[in-house]
Amino acid sequence: MTAAPKIRIRGLSKRFGAKVVLDGIDLDLGVGESVVVIGGSGSGKSVLLKCILGILTPEAGRIEIDGEPVLTADRRRREAINRQIGMLFQGGALFDSLPVWENVAFALLARHLGDRARAREIAIAKLAQVGLAADVADLFPSELSGGMQKRVGLARAIAADPQVIFFDEPTTGLDPIMADVINTLIVKTTREVGASALSITHDMASARKIANRIAMLYQGRIIWDGLVTDIDRSGDERVDQFINGRADGPIQMAVRG
Amino acid sequence: MLKPVSRLGGVVLDLLQTIGRLVLFALAAISSAVRPPFYWRTVGRQLIDIGYFSLPVVGLTAIFTGMVLALQSYTGFSRFQAESAIPQVVVVSLLRELGPVLAGLMVAGRIGAAIAAELGTMRVTEQIDALTTLSTNPMKYLVAPRLIAGIATLPLLVLVADIIGVFGGYLVAVFKLGFNPSLYLQNTWEAFKTEDLVSGLVKAAVFGFIITLMGCFNGYHSRGGAQGVGQATTNAVVSASILILCFDYLLTELFFAK
């Protein structure tokens, strides 16, 4: 890779009590690249994202964004770094007490970037970008369907024109058609904003659609990292088992009867 | 054989850990409340929620407390022909103790529970994490406005409770026990002391801090879905109620012990 990566992760480890969730993760996200981390439930995918965002503190390792180490940054610097990151949460994580437009324009309002009328205009423009009409702006999140909530979450993630967008299980809980709509929107909006994207999912259709590169997380380690076009010939039985969704194979799920 | 001892040790360690976390949380909350940025719109919303919407429950509690106080005092004092002390008893009891404590307990049930449930739900649905990703400090956005509103509104609520409670006592004394209205009011006014009122209002501000702090602390650290949120709500109300009674004694000792 010629250019320095947008995000560089080296030796990242995180444990909860005796349970090691991340065990020396190395991962790069290039500028304008879309990387999808796949892995089973409980494999530590969300923990990885939360460590990058500063929501969780890892025990060891290094995370750099634009070459700047972020784990040692103070709160103010951390907030400044997070301003270039947008995030779409698995469940949307929309603020129930605020109408849709205030959710979308939250970062603008919180940072007092312009007046409320201007913030509302931007919110409505971002809603249009994800295919939602202006009349949705005054509804509350509880009045929206799951797919609409994801779209609003996506509009919020891109509202401040971030340089990096994180997607946490973007298609979970959606029907296949709506999942494809969201995947298409992710590809479209990420390109429009010109952002790098780091997604985590166990939905292979979603991964194939939005990724340039895929990395597989298993037992706290990245066991395969390569181009999406190469994943079907990874040569790793665990990757093959996962992407084909087979119960038989080296990965044994803990099932209690 | 050592199992009960080990279990007891575990409970003590858990308790100490929780106290430590609470103290750190309280310091962070105070620091967030006194340093910019301030979210005044959220503070305004909380002032209305905590203050204005608590008025009916606090008012009802106060009026019945004042009425019962007058009635009970009469049944006791009439044995010693000391009925004339009823206005003094009502005003001193309400201003010093019953106004702040009962208003505090009622608001703890109403607001402490609501704050814990709201923040708890925000925690388990990742809304608090979302704030962090939007470069907004959750302590400043969620905790500080509630703390400010709690400290500001409880004294006002207690002031209203004091007035309504004294009025409740007046109603029973005049319309049921046959006291002379103007004499009752005159005795009430003579029994009124500024330090009684001020001590009650200071207590109210402390109780406002305790209620909002315990609601925020328990909600902020809730885990495990609906059950966790329910547990946080219960803990917020129970811990705030106990701390209110505990601090009531400490403040009374501070103000009135000679």
Side-chain angles (χ1 to χ4, degrees):
Chain A
M1 192 175 291
T2 49
K6 188 74 189 164
I7 297 178
R8 182 200 296 271
I9 300 168
R10 290 292 177 271
L12 191 73
S13 296
K14 176 71 188 169
R15 61 168 67 220
F16 293 103
K19 184 175 167 54
V20 178
V21 180
L22 301 178
D23 187 12
I25 299 284
D26 293 342
L27 188 69
D28 287 345
L29 173 67
V31 176
E33 193 180 25
S34 175
V35 172
V36 172
V37 177
I38 57 171
S41 301
S43 61
K45 305 186 298 295
S46 295
V47 173
L48 173 63
L49 279 194
K50 287 180 178 178
C51 285
I52 302 172
L53 285 163
I55 295 168
L56 292 174
T57 309
E59 274 78 37
R62 189 174 171 83
I63 300 173
E64 291 171 9
I65 297 181
D66 287 328
E68 181 183 355
V70 294
L71 295 177
T72 49
D74 62 21
R75 176 176 271 280
R76 202 169 287 239
R77 184 66 202 134
R78 181 78 242 194
E79 283 178 7
I81 292 166
N82 276 5
R83 274 181 209 136
Q84 50 173 312
I85 300 174
M87 167 96 182
L88 172 61
F89 283 85
Q90 185 176 347
L94 300 176
F95 305 122
D96 313 312
S97 56
L98 301 178
V100 163
W101 81 265
E102 283 192 45
N103 265 282
V104 175
F106 189 90
L108 309 175
L109 293 168
R111 282 180 236 155
H112 306 290
L113 302 175
D115 58 16
R116 288 176 68 79
R118 176 74 192 125
R120 189 184 155 88
E121 278 174 26
I122 293 171
I124 289 173
K126 296 294 176 185
L127 287 170
Q129 232 175 312
V130 297
L132 289 173
D135 56 2
V136 172
D138 292 315
L139 298 177
F140 279 84
S142 58
E143 299 174 271
L144 306 177
S145 67
M148 287 168 92
Q149 287 189 12
K150 288 269 173 159
R151 288 182 194 222
V152 174
L154 182 55
R156 183 174 70 180
I158 61 169
D161 297 326
Q163 295 170 30
V164 185
I165 310 179
F166 292 163
F167 299 99
D168 183 358
E169 311 272 10
T171 54
T172 298
L174 300 178
D175 66 71
I177 296 171
M178 183 51 75
D180 196 51
V181 169
I182 295 293
N183 288 332
T184 307
L185 278 172
I186 287 173
V187 173
K188 173 178 157 276
T189 50
T190 310
R191 272 195 203 131
E192 281 171 359
V193 177
S196 311
L198 180 60
S199 315
I200 57 174
T201 187
H202 45 65
D203 174 357
M204 281 313 299
S206 176
R208 288 177 195 277
K209 180 137 190 173
I210 62 182
N212 304 129
R213 238 176 69 220
I214 292 180
M216 179 158 168
L217 192 59
Y218 177 63
Q219 291 187 335
R221 291 174 173 272
I222 300 285
I223 58 166
W224 187 84
D225 183 349
L227 293 174
V228 63
T229 46
D230 294 339
I231 196 160
D232 291 312
R233 44 180 189 280
S234 67
D236 188 309
E237 282 183 49
R238 294 165 298 182
V239 177
D240 284 344
Q241 183 191 351
F242 186 84
I243 64 175
N244 293 305
R246 290 195 305 260
D248 296 328
I251 302 175
Q252 292 300 313
M253 293 287 175
V255 180
R256 286 176 192 167
Chain B
M1 187 161 163
L2 285 174
K3 216 171 183 181
V5 180
S6 139
R7 198 169 290 168
L8 181 67
V11 170
V12 172
L13 283 177
D14 280 351
L15 182 68
L16 290 176
Q17 195 181 25
T18 305
I19 292 170
R21 277 169 54 215
L22 176 62
V23 170
L24 290 176
F25 186 86
L27 291 175
I30 293 167
S31 158
S32 300
V34 296
R35 288 190 303 178
F38 299 107
Y39 295 96
W40 293 116
R41 185 177 284 269
T42 318
V43 173
R45 211 175 289 157
Q46 292 303 321
L47 285 172
I48 293 170
D49 265 359
I50 300 176
Y52 183 69
F53 289 123
S54 295
L55 271 174
V57 68
V58 169
L60 279 171
T61 309
I63 198 160
F64 286 113
T65 304
M67 290 165 74
V68 168
L69 205 53
L71 202 58
Q72 286 282 26
S73 306
Y74 181 79
T75 55
F77 289 179
S78 58
R79 292 181 212 160
F80 315 104
Q81 285 77 47
E83 298 93 330
S84 60
I86 290 174
Q88 286 93 320
V89 169
V90 170
V91 76
V92 171
S93 308
L94 275 167
L95 263 55
R96 282 189 182 189
E97 283 301 323
L98 295 175
V101 170
L102 290 179
L105 292 175
M106 295 311 287
V107 175
R110 207 187 88 80
I111 294 299
I115 291 175
E118 186 178 0
L119 266 59
T121 306
M122 289 185 76
R123 167 62 72 198
V124 300
T125 56
E126 296 186 305
Q127 290 178 51
I128 294 182
D129 290 345
L131 282 173
T132 307
T133 67
L134 292 163
S135 300
T136 302
N137 182 346
M139 291 297 281
K140 283 190 184 295
Y141 185 74
L142 295 174
V143 179
R146 286 166 171 81
L147 223 55
I148 293 169
I151 294 169
T153 52
L154 251 287
L156 295 175
L157 281 172
V158 167
L159 189 63
V160 173
D162 289 344
I163 295 166
I164 294 176
V166 169
F167 178 66
Y170 170 87
L171 287 179
V172 169
V174 170
F175 295 106
K176 183 168 174 65
L177 306 175
F179 277 65
N180 178 297
S182 56
L183 200 61
Y184 187 91
L185 285 177
Q186 191 189 337
N187 284 348
T188 298
W189 184 245
E190 281 169 6
F192 172 82
K193 283 188 186 150
T194 309
E195 60 256 40
D196 290 341
L197 178 70
V198 171
S199 74
L201 298 184
V202 171
K203 281 182 179 180
V206 174
F207 297 165
F209 174 75
I210 289 171
I211 292 164
T212 45
L213 180 73
M214 296 317 292
C216 290
F217 175 73
N218 285 289
Y220 201 86
H221 293 106
S222 77
R223 288 181 197 290
Q227 194 181 12
V229 175
Q231 187 67 50
T233 308
T234 308
N235 289 348
V237 177
V238 172
S239 57
S241 303
I242 292 170
L243 283 175
I244 283 172
L245 297 174
C246 183
F247 273 80
D248 182 45
Y249 174 78
L250 294 175
L251 291 169
T252 305
E253 182 89 25
L254 187 72
F255 285 123
F256 299 107
K258 294 259 163 67

